[in-house]
Amino acid sequence: MDEGFAVKSLGRALKVLECFSIEQPELGVSEIAKMLGMQKSTVFNILATYQKAGYIVQNPKTTKYYLGLKALHLSYIINNHLGLRDTFLPYLSRIAEQANEVCYFGIPDTPEVLYLEAVYPVTQIQTRNILGERAPMYCTGLGKAMLAFMPEAQLEQVLAKEMRSFTNFTLCDPKVLRANLEEIRLNGYAIDNMEHEYGVRCVAVPVFGADGSVAAAVSVSGPSLRFDSETISRDAQMIQEVLRPLQRCL
Amino acid sequence: MDEGFAVKSLGRALKVLECFSIEQPELGVSEIAKMLGMQKSTVFNILATYQKAGYIVQNPKTTKYYLGLKALHLSYIINNHLGLRDTFLPYLSRIAEQANEVCYFGIPDTPEVLYLEAVYPVTQIQTRNILGERAPMYCTGLGKAMLAFMPEAQLEQVLAKEMRSFTNFTLCDPKVLRANLEEIRLNGYAIDNMEHEYGVRCVAVPVFGADGSVAAAVSVSGPSLRFDSETISRDAQMIQEVLRPLQRCL
DNA sequence: CATTTTCGTTCAGTATTGCCGAACATAGTT
DNA sequence: AACTATGTTCGGCAATACTGAACGAAAATG
């Protein structure tokens, strides 16, 4: 259970934090204790400390605990230090408008894609808070656009991990995926053909840093019926064109 | 130095986290130790633990440490659980377009305003990452719109704290501020006349929850020259109109 | 170019302190 | 009313987090 943390009690405390999720944003003491195989009173003390510091709040109705607003300040600092979001946003809007589809923006956090922004075209009144969401690289447009241009060593690490089949279209076989990545290198863009979500297609283009490594990727995504091969290649070119001023500048 | 945390080592670890800021996003071991009056090796062990868990990363060039991307996942969960941002965003866009000025959206985290979103009109190609930023209530449009409709007990707590003068226009005197809040209650909207930033005016409207308490506030803001009294009252009415469907529904 | 200072890092010893486990209070269920 | 959940409290002991000094490396100094 404990894994070589220098400060074990902090390690435990962080595991408590990580119990909270989108599916279960509110948790009770016993619940957490059961999840982690820890003592109730231990969890209670950890939660009490987080609470005193503002990172966790107790819902007086349910007596359950949830993540407090304090932690948002961390994301503010991280995002500012990262700096990418603000640079990209105007370009993402332009791409969303021109394709008239949702435009996603993410960075590699191997073996996952970390989403930083989703921009909807003005015609769709919808929005989505996506900052901080993650998805596997091997079955998303953004992820494959990144994988295709990564050093072989890193790629192997990703392929070594088990690849879950999200839909019938998911490319789980390393050989098949490798062939697809080769194709992506030739085209300069990646296609996600319902590999992550059934009925959703996606075109993604990588963004390179000044050192030539993959710094980020941008995609447009929508119902498969709206993404025939013609639309895909046109969107791909459009994205590449819009992002040109950002290439090799980061 | 230590303040009644149930788990003291966690309390210390959280203080280490809080050393990182917008101004100083990268910090060294000794630097942090000095800031907190702690032992170098203690800080080192704490950082090593955070690092192992992914919350802190060491910059190999400078050997300094900075906040890692893992913490963004927390903000994702918090934001989702909160739910407000996604509900408001379409309304914020409409307000930004109609006023042709930046539209801010925040919630009360007394005595501060917690900003959740800033939406620019399409004519301004600018954007700004604001999620997690904070500002005092007493000198911002959003904050005053909230203060004006808060229970007296909470208001007193805020007024009791020292009020710093950001500009010559900042209302630091509790009596003057109280008079201004009375005016806001009558009008139904708040005006920030360069009280936080010189040259910037702002009109803000509170949003009430189902229980009648202030749940959030929305403002438009820009150079003072563009905000004459006529524009202000027109914008105020417009914001109120757009937000009407959200009032007392949260 | 030698010297000094400062940095991050390591380690062993000790006293702090964090965890265990049982008991308690409360609320909801049977 | 008995039962089973829950969150919470508390004493005691063993784990462990911190101290403080020493290390090597890298800047900054002379």
Short mmCIF file of all heavy atoms in Angstrom, two decimals, chain D residues 18-29:
data_model
loop_
_atom_site.label_atom_id
_atom_site.label_comp_id
_atom_site.label_asym_id
_atom_site.label_seq_id
_atom_site.Cartn_x
_atom_site.Cartn_y
_atom_site.Cartn_z
P DC D 18 7.83 16.66 8.61
OP1 DC D 18 6.82 17.73 8.65
OP2 DC D 18 8.35 16.16 7.33
"O5'" DC D 18 9.06 17.13 9.50
"C5'" DC D 18 8.78 17.68 10.78
"C4'" DC D 18 10.04 17.69 11.59
"O4'" DC D 18 10.63 16.36 11.56
"C3'" DC D 18 11.11 18.64 11.05
"O3'" DC D 18 11.36 19.65 11.99
"C2'" DC D 18 12.33 17.75 10.79
"C1'" DC D 18 12.03 16.48 11.56
N1 DC D 18 12.59 15.24 10.94
C2 DC D 18 13.55 14.51 11.64
O2 DC D 18 13.92 14.90 12.75
N3 DC D 18 14.05 13.37 11.08
C4 DC D 18 13.62 12.97 9.87
N4 DC D 18 14.12 11.83 9.38
C5 DC D 18 12.64 13.71 9.15
C6 DC D 18 12.16 14.83 9.70
P DT D 19 12.42 20.81 11.65
OP1 DT D 19 11.91 22.02 12.32
OP2 DT D 19 12.63 20.79 10.20
"O5'" DT D 19 13.75 20.35 12.37
"C5'" DT D 19 13.70 19.92 13.72
"C4'" DT D 19 15.07 19.43 14.18
"O4'" DT D 19 15.35 18.15 13.55
"C3'" DT D 19 16.24 20.36 13.82
"O3'" DT D 19 17.00 20.56 14.99
"C2'" DT D 19 17.02 19.58 12.75
"C1'" DT D 19 16.67 18.13 13.04
N1 DT D 19 16.64 17.23 11.87
C2 DT D 19 17.40 16.07 11.88
O2 DT D 19 18.13 15.75 12.80
N3 DT D 19 17.26 15.28 10.75
C4 DT D 19 16.47 15.54 9.64
O4 DT D 19 16.43 14.76 8.69
C5 DT D 19 15.70 16.77 9.69
C7 DT D 19 14.83 17.13 8.56
C6 DT D 19 15.82 17.54 10.79
P DG D 20 17.90 21.86 15.12
OP1 DG D 20 18.03 22.17 16.57
OP2 DG D 20 17.40 22.87 14.17
"O5'" DG D 20 19.32 21.35 14.60
"C5'" DG D 20 19.86 20.16 15.15
"C4'" DG D 20 21.04 19.69 14.32
"O4'" DG D 20 20.56 18.88 13.21
"C3'" DG D 20 21.88 20.81 13.68
"O3'" DG D 20 23.23 20.45 13.76
"C2'" DG D 20 21.40 20.80 12.23
"C1'" DG D 20 21.22 19.30 12.03
N9 DG D 20 20.41 18.94 10.89
C8 DG D 20 19.51 19.72 10.21
N7 DG D 20 18.93 19.10 9.21
C5 DG D 20 19.49 17.83 9.22
C6 DG D 20 19.26 16.71 8.38
O6 DG D 20 18.49 16.62 7.43
N1 DG D 20 20.04 15.61 8.75
C2 DG D 20 20.92 15.60 9.78
N2 DG D 20 21.59 14.46 9.98
N3 DG D 20 21.16 16.64 10.58
C4 DG D 20 20.41 17.71 10.25
P DA D 21 24.41 21.50 13.59
OP1 DA D 21 24.58 22.22 14.86
OP2 DA D 21 24.14 22.24 12.35
"O5'" DA D 21 25.67 20.55 13.34
"C5'" DA D 21 25.58 19.17 13.66
"C4'" DA D 21 26.02 18.33 12.47
"O4'" DA D 21 24.93 18.14 11.54
"C3'" DA D 21 27.17 18.96 11.66
"O3'" DA D 21 28.12 17.95 11.36
"C2'" DA D 21 26.47 19.45 10.40
"C1'" DA D 21 25.42 18.34 10.23
N9 DA D 21 24.31 18.69 9.35
C8 DA D 21 23.61 19.87 9.31
N7 DA D 21 22.67 19.89 8.40
C5 DA D 21 22.75 18.65 7.80
C6 DA D 21 22.01 18.04 6.77
N6 DA D 21 21.01 18.65 6.13
N1 DA D 21 22.36 16.78 6.42
C2 DA D 21 23.36 16.18 7.07
N3 DA D 21 24.12 16.65 8.06
C4 DA D 21 23.76 17.90 8.38
P DA D 22 29.55 18.37 10.74
OP1 DA D 22 30.62 17.77 11.58
OP2 DA D 22 29.54 19.81 10.45
"O5'" DA D 22 29.51 17.58 9.36
"C5'" DA D 22 29.16 16.20 9.35
"C4'" DA D 22 28.98 15.74 7.91
"O4'" DA D 22 27.73 16.26 7.40
"C3'" DA D 22 30.07 16.24 6.95
"O3'" DA D 22 30.43 15.18 6.07
"C2'" DA D 22 29.38 17.36 6.20
"C1'" DA D 22 27.96 16.84 6.13
N9 DA D 22 26.95 17.86 5.90
C8 DA D 22 26.86 19.10 6.48
N7 DA D 22 25.82 19.81 6.06
C5 DA D 22 25.21 18.98 5.15
C6 DA D 22 24.06 19.15 4.35
N6 DA D 22 23.31 20.25 4.35
N1 DA D 22 23.72 18.12 3.54
C2 DA D 22 24.48 17.02 3.53
N3 DA D 22 25.57 16.74 4.24
C4 DA D 22 25.88 17.78 5.04
P DC D 23 31.72 15.32 5.16
OP1 DC D 23 32.57 14.14 5.40
OP2 DC D 23 32.29 16.69 5.29
"O5'" DC D 23 31.08 15.21 3.70
"C5'" DC D 23 30.28 14.08 3.36
"C4'" DC D 23 29.54 14.37 2.06
"O4'" DC D 23 28.52 15.37 2.29
"C3'" DC D 23 30.45 14.93 0.98
"O3'" DC D 23 30.73 13.92 0.00
"C2'" DC D 23 29.65 16.08 0.35
"C1'" DC D 23 28.32 16.08 1.10
N1 DC D 23 27.86 17.45 1.47
C2 DC D 23 26.73 17.98 0.84
O2 DC D 23 26.13 17.30 0.00
N3 DC D 23 26.31 19.24 1.17
C4 DC D 23 26.98 19.93 2.08
N4 DC D 23 26.53 21.15 2.37
C5 DC D 23 28.14 19.41 2.72
C6 DC D 23 28.55 18.18 2.39
P DG D 24 31.97 14.19 -1.00
OP1 DG D 24 32.53 12.86 -1.32
OP2 DG D 24 32.83 15.26 -0.46
"O5'" DG D 24 31.22 14.76 -2.29
"C5'" DG D 24 30.12 14.05 -2.83
"C4'" DG D 24 29.43 14.93 -3.87
"O4'" DG D 24 28.80 16.05 -3.19
"C3'" DG D 24 30.39 15.53 -4.91
"O3'" DG D 24 29.84 15.31 -6.21
"C2'" DG D 24 30.48 17.00 -4.54
"C1'" DG D 24 29.18 17.26 -3.82
N9 DG D 24 29.27 18.28 -2.77
C8 DG D 24 30.26 18.41 -1.82
N7 DG D 24 30.06 19.41 -1.01
C5 DG D 24 28.87 19.99 -1.45
C6 DG D 24 28.17 21.11 -0.96
O6 DG D 24 28.45 21.84 -0.01
N1 DG D 24 27.02 21.34 -1.70
C2 DG D 24 26.59 20.59 -2.77
N2 DG D 24 25.46 20.97 -3.35
N3 DG D 24 27.24 19.54 -3.24
C4 DG D 24 28.38 19.29 -2.53
P DA D 25 30.60 15.83 -7.48
OP1 DA D 25 30.49 14.75 -8.48
OP2 DA D 25 31.94 16.36 -7.09
"O5'" DA D 25 29.70 17.06 -7.95
"C5'" DA D 25 28.26 16.94 -7.91
"C4'" DA D 25 27.66 18.30 -8.21
"O4'" DA D 25 27.71 19.13 -7.02
"C3'" DA D 25 28.38 19.09 -9.31
"O3'" DA D 25 27.40 19.68 -10.16
"C2'" DA D 25 29.17 20.14 -8.55
"C1'" DA D 25 28.26 20.39 -7.34
N9 DA D 25 28.97 20.88 -6.17
C8 DA D 25 30.14 20.40 -5.65
N7 DA D 25 30.53 21.05 -4.56
C5 DA D 25 29.55 22.02 -4.38
C6 DA D 25 29.38 23.03 -3.41
N6 DA D 25 30.23 23.24 -2.40
N1 DA D 25 28.30 23.82 -3.52
C2 DA D 25 27.43 23.61 -4.52
N3 DA D 25 27.49 22.70 -5.50
C4 DA D 25 28.58 21.93 -5.36
P DA D 26 27.79 20.17 -11.60
OP1 DA D 26 27.12 19.27 -12.56
OP2 DA D 26 29.25 20.39 -11.68
"O5'" DA D 26 27.09 21.60 -11.67
"C5'" DA D 26 25.96 21.87 -10.85
"C4'" DA D 26 26.02 23.30 -10.34
"O4'" DA D 26 26.85 23.38 -9.16
"C3'" DA D 26 26.61 24.31 -11.33
"O3'" DA D 26 25.76 25.43 -11.40
"C2'" DA D 26 27.95 24.70 -10.71
"C1'" DA D 26 27.60 24.57 -9.24
N9 DA D 26 28.75 24.46 -8.33
C8 DA D 26 29.83 23.65 -8.44
N7 DA D 26 30.70 23.78 -7.47
C5 DA D 26 30.14 24.75 -6.65
C6 DA D 26 30.55 25.35 -5.44
N6 DA D 26 31.70 25.02 -4.83
N1 DA D 26 29.76 26.27 -4.89
C2 DA D 26 28.61 26.59 -5.52
N3 DA D 26 28.11 26.11 -6.65
C4 DA D 26 28.93 25.17 -7.17
P DA D 27 25.49 26.11 -12.82
OP1 DA D 27 24.26 25.55 -13.41
OP2 DA D 27 26.75 26.11 -13.59
"O5'" DA D 27 25.18 27.61 -12.36
"C5'" DA D 27 26.23 28.30 -11.79
"C4'" DA D 27 25.77 29.12 -10.62
"O4'" DA D 27 26.44 28.65 -9.42
"C3'" DA D 27 26.17 30.57 -10.81
"O3'" DA D 27 25.25 31.45 -10.19
"C2'" DA D 27 27.55 30.65 -10.16
"C1'" DA D 27 27.48 29.58 -9.06
N9 DA D 27 28.73 28.83 -8.94
C8 DA D 27 29.28 27.94 -9.82
N7 DA D 27 30.44 27.45 -9.41
C5 DA D 27 30.65 28.05 -8.17
C6 DA D 27 31.69 27.96 -7.23
N6 DA D 27 32.75 27.18 -7.39
N1 DA D 27 31.58 28.71 -6.11
C2 DA D 27 30.51 29.50 -5.95
N3 DA D 27 29.47 29.67 -6.77
C4 DA D 27 29.61 28.91 -7.87
P DA D 28 25.28 32.99 -10.61
OP1 DA D 28 23.90 33.51 -10.40
OP2 DA D 28 25.94 33.12 -11.92
"O5'" DA D 28 26.23 33.64 -9.51
"C5'" DA D 28 25.91 33.45 -8.13
"C4'" DA D 28 27.05 33.96 -7.27
"O4'" DA D 28 28.16 33.02 -7.32
"C3'" DA D 28 27.61 35.31 -7.71
"O3'" DA D 28 27.73 36.15 -6.56
"C2'" DA D 28 28.98 34.98 -8.32
"C1'" DA D 28 29.35 33.73 -7.53
N9 DA D 28 30.28 32.84 -8.23
C8 DA D 28 30.20 32.38 -9.52
N7 DA D 28 31.18 31.57 -9.86
C5 DA D 28 31.96 31.50 -8.73
C6 DA D 28 33.15 30.80 -8.45
N6 DA D 28 33.77 30.02 -9.33
N1 DA D 28 33.67 30.95 -7.20
C2 DA D 28 33.04 31.73 -6.31
N3 DA D 28 31.92 32.43 -6.47
C4 DA D 28 31.42 32.27 -7.71
P DT D 29 28.08 37.69 -6.75
OP1 DT D 29 27.25 38.45 -5.79
OP2 DT D 29 28.06 37.99 -8.20
"O5'" DT D 29 29.59 37.75 -6.25
"C5'" DT D 29 29.90 37.43 -4.88
"C4'" DT D 29 31.37 37.04 -4.75
"O4'" DT D 29 31.68 36.01 -5.70
"C3'" DT D 29 32.37 38.15 -5.05
"O3'" DT D 29 32.74 38.82 -3.87
"C2'" DT D 29 33.57 37.40 -5.65
"C1'" DT D 29 33.08 35.97 -5.79
N1 DT D 29 33.47 35.32 -7.07
C2 DT D 29 34.58 34.50 -7.09
O2 DT D 29 35.27 34.28 -6.11
N3 DT D 29 34.87 33.95 -8.32
C4 DT D 29 34.16 34.14 -9.50
O4 DT D 29 34.52 33.59 -10.54
C5 DT D 29 33.01 35.01 -9.41
C7 DT D 29 32.19 35.29 -10.64
C6 DT D 29 32.72 35.56 -8.21
#
